[in-house]
Amino acid sequence: MTRPEGKPTRGTTNQNRLRRVDNWIAAHAAGALHDAADPLVIDLGYGETPVTAVELRARLARVRPDVRVVGLEIDPERVAAAAPAADPPGLTFARGGFELAGLRPTVVRALNVLRQYDEAQVAPAWATMTGGLAPGGLLVEGTCDELGRLAAWICLDHTGPRSLTLAARLSTLDTPATLAERLPKALIHHNVPGEPVYDLLRALDDGWRDAAPYATFGARQRWRRAVAAVKAGGWPVLDGPARWRLGELTIAWPAVSPSMPAKFS
């Protein structure tokens, strides 16, 4: 058997940690899942416990009841430990890494996986994963905090990155600047003056500050005003108020791509 590509993650996880990204996938990949003859989704690097894979299957089943989720881990002990949670054919577990165990999924979710790698390793990992996607498939790669209150992820297809999404639990958000701590590996070292992602976070932070009077009506109204200000400032915002009220902001990738990114091929 070919050795899986990659290395084990720290493995930490919590219930509902990935709820925000799961719900985003359910909304944005609904068309791809609906059209897929085999609605296969991979949860890459699910960690020490299979809870995130179990939750992903349940959330995507609302979009496509016959969706299949395969949790992949490099560590064979984690695969064995997850076996009792399997519910074939809807949920299974196997050993695999960036090569996706030779499967051809419609969606790959890889959260908190590439954070431990060097930035130079990100683009090759992206290329390996997107190269294994089914036609029209998507890769969602990013990072979140331990409780899932702050998150950021990049959506890619076979051509490369398409968008960056920032997401926060608004009731506990102090300032959007804290989202910088959870930027994906491809961006986190570029949060410096002169880089687009730095300018985006600054614009969002400025909008949040200027919208402080709307805090009287709740954090959602304040966030919506802040995102609206970002859009009015010329940023290519891809989502609308229905997603903003959830504490999200999705930007077209070219607007935040690092000035000297690693090559994607």
Side-chain angles (χ1 to χ4, degrees):
M1 179 178 178
T2 303
R3 180 180 176 83
E5 295 183 36
K7 54 188 176 182
T9 63
R10 287 193 305 148
T12 56
T13 191
N14 288 293
Q15 286 186 327
N16 284 322
R17 184 184 186 186
L18 303 184
R19 176 175 61 86
R20 297 181 192 287
V21 66
D22 287 355
N23 290 337
W24 189 91
I25 291 171
H28 287 77
L33 288 171
H34 181 269
D35 295 339
D38 179 14
L40 172 62
V41 176
I42 286 180
D43 180 12
L44 183 65
Y46 56 83
E48 291 182 345
T49 69
V51 61
T52 59
V54 173
E55 292 174 341
L56 179 63
R57 169 67 175 81
R59 288 166 183 147
L60 295 187
R62 300 168 192 164
V63 174
R64 180 76 188 255
D66 61 339
V67 66
R68 293 195 301 127
V69 172
V70 177
L72 291 184
E73 263 290 347
I74 288 179
D75 186 346
E77 293 185 0
R78 292 180 181 176
V79 176
D87 184 20
L91 178 62
T92 56
F93 299 91
R95 192 174 182 221
F98 297 136
E99 82 299 332
L100 308 180
L103 301 172
R104 298 286 285 178
T106 299
V107 178
V108 175
R109 185 191 66 184
L111 263 286
N112 304 305
V113 174
L114 289 176
R115 181 77 175 222
Q116 64 188 348
Y117 289 77
D118 292 333
E119 184 182 350
Q121 296 174 287
V122 171
W126 281 354
T128 299
M129 289 186 282
T130 56
L133 291 171
L138 299 174
L139 163 65
V140 179
E141 185 272 309
T143 307
C144 69
D145 65 0
E146 295 292 335
L147 298 178
R149 294 177 176 176
L150 300 171
W153 56 84
I154 299 167
C155 180
L156 307 93
D157 61 16
H158 73 282
T159 65
R162 293 171 44 174
S163 65
L164 167 70
T165 298
L166 305 175
R169 181 178 177 182
L170 296 179
S171 62
T172 60
L173 182 65
D174 179 31
T175 168
T178 57
L179 283 160
E181 304 167 5
R182 299 299 161 182
L183 288 173
K185 192 69 175 190
L187 291 173
I188 194 165
H189 299 304
H190 295 273
N191 184 35
V192 294
E195 288 283 353
V197 72
Y198 175 89
D199 293 338
L200 171 64
L201 288 172
R202 185 169 182 176
L204 185 58
D205 222 37
D206 288 347
W208 179 258
R209 183 196 63 238
D210 293 344
Y214 291 91
T216 302
F217 304 104
R220 285 182 176 178
Q221 289 299 320
R222 186 177 183 181
W223 177 266
R224 288 181 61 176
R225 292 283 176 171
V227 174
V230 169
K231 185 174 182 178
W235 289 91
V237 176
L238 299 180
D239 50 10
R243 302 305 300 185
W244 302 350
R245 68 184 301 276
L246 302 177
E248 294 177 6
L249 165 62
T250 297
I251 296 284
W253 177 257
V256 293
S257 178
S259 58
M260 295 185 65
K263 185 177 180 182
F264 180 85
S265 60

